[in-house]
Amino acid sequence: IKETIGDADELFKDEFIQANLEAKLKTENFSILHFATHGSFSSDPRRTYIMLNEGYLEAEELDTILRSNALRRNRGNRSGVELIVFSACETAQGDNRAVLGLAGLTVRSGTQSAIATLWQVDDEAAAAIMTRFYEELANNPNISRSEALRRAQVALLTMAQETNSDWKLPYYWGAYTLIGNWL
């Protein structure tokens, strides 16, 4: 993904802690935040979190971090986070209102939209879909996020059918949902 979109920063393994996330969001401007980490989303904020290297980052804490970034951004006339991607296992799954919890977090933070997964995903297939998603956005600046996601899913399915791979099963390409502004 970093190779595809160029100017990207990452927090990986030991660096992926709350203090570092807060510092990055205070000092840098990101249009996309991509979390390739496990999480759980629920309509109950106390049961909603993403995993950091140091443990859980609960929804309320993430919301506070994102909101403070939005306030600084608005005061500084900087553009802000347009898309949050949660590409790991079951980030939109939970109770029957989990997607509403994710959508609420996204909207409250000032982010336009979010991508999350509805069930456990295969790491290699997830990497392929996300790479293609970012390629579509980078190479076709006039397409919507929903169209970029659809194209990435179709590309994975097409490749799987051509090679007779297991990736042709919906389990591998169908887990992704886009919440919020599809454009």
Side-chain angles (χ1 to χ4, degrees), residues 4-5 129-145 147-153 155:
T4 301
I5 60 175
I129 283 187
M130 289 293 103
T131 299
R132 183 60 180 257
F133 170 74
Y134 288 114
E135 286 172 354
E136 291 292 340
L137 288 178
N139 296 330
N140 304 293
N142 294 325
I143 67 168
S144 65
R145 295 175 195 117
E147 178 62 15
L149 181 58
R150 186 194 72 78
R151 288 182 183 185
Q153 290 170 307

Side-chain angles (χ1 to χ4, degrees), residues 13-128:
K13 294 190 179 188
D14 292 345
E15 296 173 339
F16 189 47
I17 61 172
Q18 184 172 344
N20 290 347
L21 178 60
E22 289 177 6
K24 291 278 185 194
L25 290 173
K26 282 181 183 176
T27 59
E28 299 181 40
N29 189 28
F30 299 99
S31 60
I32 299 172
L33 294 179
H34 186 119
F35 294 97
T37 185
H38 294 284
S40 176
F41 286 84
S42 167
S43 57
D44 179 356
R46 295 171 304 219
R47 294 181 28 209
T48 300
Y49 62 86
I50 62 170
M51 292 295 299
L52 301 175
N53 187 54
E54 63 194 347
Y56 299 115
L57 178 63
E58 293 181 359
E60 291 179 1
E61 294 172 294
L62 181 57
D63 181 55
T64 299
I65 292 168
L66 294 172
R67 280 187 189 199
S68 66
N69 179 54
L71 289 174
R72 278 189 301 281
R73 180 182 66 238
N74 291 338
R75 282 189 222 125
N77 200 19
R78 299 178 349 185
S79 61
V81 176
E82 297 175 14
L83 173 66
I84 298 177
V85 178
F86 299 98
S87 66
C89 298
E90 302 172 25
T91 51
Q93 185 183 31
D95 61 32
N96 61 0
R97 297 175 56 117
V99 172
L100 297 176
L102 177 58
L105 172 69
T106 303
V107 170
R108 279 192 316 268
S109 74
T111 303
Q112 295 176 11
S113 53
I115 292 177
T117 57
L118 296 170
W119 55 77
Q120 288 187 349
V121 294
D122 176 82
D123 287 341
E124 289 181 33

